[in-house]
Amino acid sequence: NSYLSLWPFQSGLLLYYELILRIIPNYNVVPMECLNWCYLGLGLISFYFLMRKWFPEERVITCWSILLLLCWPWFFYVNFAYGEMPSICLMVFSTWMLTNYLEHHKWQYFILALLSTGLGILLRKNLVIFVIATILILAVLCFQSFRKEYLFTIIGLIAVTAFFSTFPQKLYELRANNTMGSGVSAYGYIAMG
């Protein structure tokens, strides 16, 4: 059995590394770490602007910034080559863009939010938890006071999640002219835990 037949959810991360290898031949760990530092910067900037938007009090933003800079695991994660850093930072960026879209109703924020969510799901399917939580929050807001932006966002997030969570596996199955199957049972993860 191949690796992807056991772990088909890794096909997105494999596609990400394949694209990097096509751009940077003779790829080693240094370009990956540099990319992770770029993602870290995107995440820190996104966190900062989200905090500024949600909590306009300067004291809160200062405390948050200090606490975030003292969160050492956040910086140590940069060296980790498993797609966690990019997906987390893309999630935070998506949250910032969604907040801007719902406030200013500009389509560029909506598109950036959907793209970053899709790329984050491509890297780590754990980001689907973020999408489900966002859809639930938007559904509650939609029931409280209907706004077409809420509905567009819910539909967009569902579409992006459906596409990016299946596209890499379908692409590799098409290229290999074979099917991957469902992989290791969820009981396997429970046993590993």
Side-chain angles (χ1 to χ4, degrees):
N1 284 335
S2 70
Y3 179 80
L4 287 179
S5 66
L6 292 173
W7 317 107
F9 65 88
Q10 296 286 32
S11 56
L13 188 61
L14 182 66
L15 180 61
Y16 172 73
Y17 286 128
E18 179 185 344
L19 292 172
I20 292 173
L21 279 169
R22 291 186 184 279
I23 295 168
I24 307 169
N26 304 321
Y27 176 79
N28 61 29
V29 73
V30 174
M32 185 266 312
E33 288 177 0
C34 290
L35 279 172
N36 281 350
W37 278 105
C38 293
Y39 282 115
L40 177 67
L42 177 71
L44 291 174
I45 290 167
S46 300
F47 264 133
Y48 175 78
F49 282 109
L50 270 175
M51 293 305 293
R52 186 159 286 291
K53 188 172 289 293
W54 292 344
F55 304 100
E57 196 175 323
E58 199 63 39
R59 186 184 68 194
V60 173
I61 295 164
T62 303
C63 289
W64 171 260
S65 299
I66 291 169
L67 288 173
L68 188 61
L69 291 174
L70 293 176
C71 182
W72 297 116
W74 178 254
F75 296 97
F76 293 145
Y77 229 35
V78 169
N79 297 322
F80 193 54
Y82 211 56
E84 299 292 342
M85 177 58 67
S87 68
I88 291 169
C89 294
L90 287 166
M91 177 194 67
V92 176
F93 179 74
S94 175
T95 306
W96 178 31
M97 292 298 106
L98 279 175
T99 305
N100 284 339
Y101 170 66
L102 295 174
E103 184 179 345
H104 303 294
H105 315 295
K106 293 186 178 177
W107 285 98
Q108 62 264 32
Y109 295 133
F110 181 70
I111 292 168
L112 285 171
L114 292 183
L115 281 175
S116 58
T117 300
L119 291 174
I121 288 171
L122 182 90
L123 293 170
R124 302 296 300 149
K125 286 193 180 176
N126 298 352
L127 210 62
V128 172
I129 297 166
F130 159 75
V131 173
I132 292 169
T134 304
I135 288 172
L136 290 174
I137 291 168
L138 290 170
V140 168
L141 292 173
C142 198
F143 282 124
Q144 288 177 345
S145 63
F146 180 79
R147 285 177 44 195
K148 63 182 179 192
E149 290 84 13
Y150 296 149
L151 192 59
F152 286 146
T153 306
I154 290 170
I155 292 168
L157 286 172
I158 290 171
V160 161
T161 302
F163 177 76
F164 280 98
S165 58
T166 59
F167 171 72
Q169 182 174 343
K170 297 294 180 196
L171 176 71
Y172 283 120
E173 286 177 346
L174 183 69
R175 286 170 61 183
N177 198 20
N178 196 359
T179 58
M180 288 184 199
S182 60
V184 173
S185 165
Y187 294 117
Y189 298 104
I190 295 169
M192 284 191 293

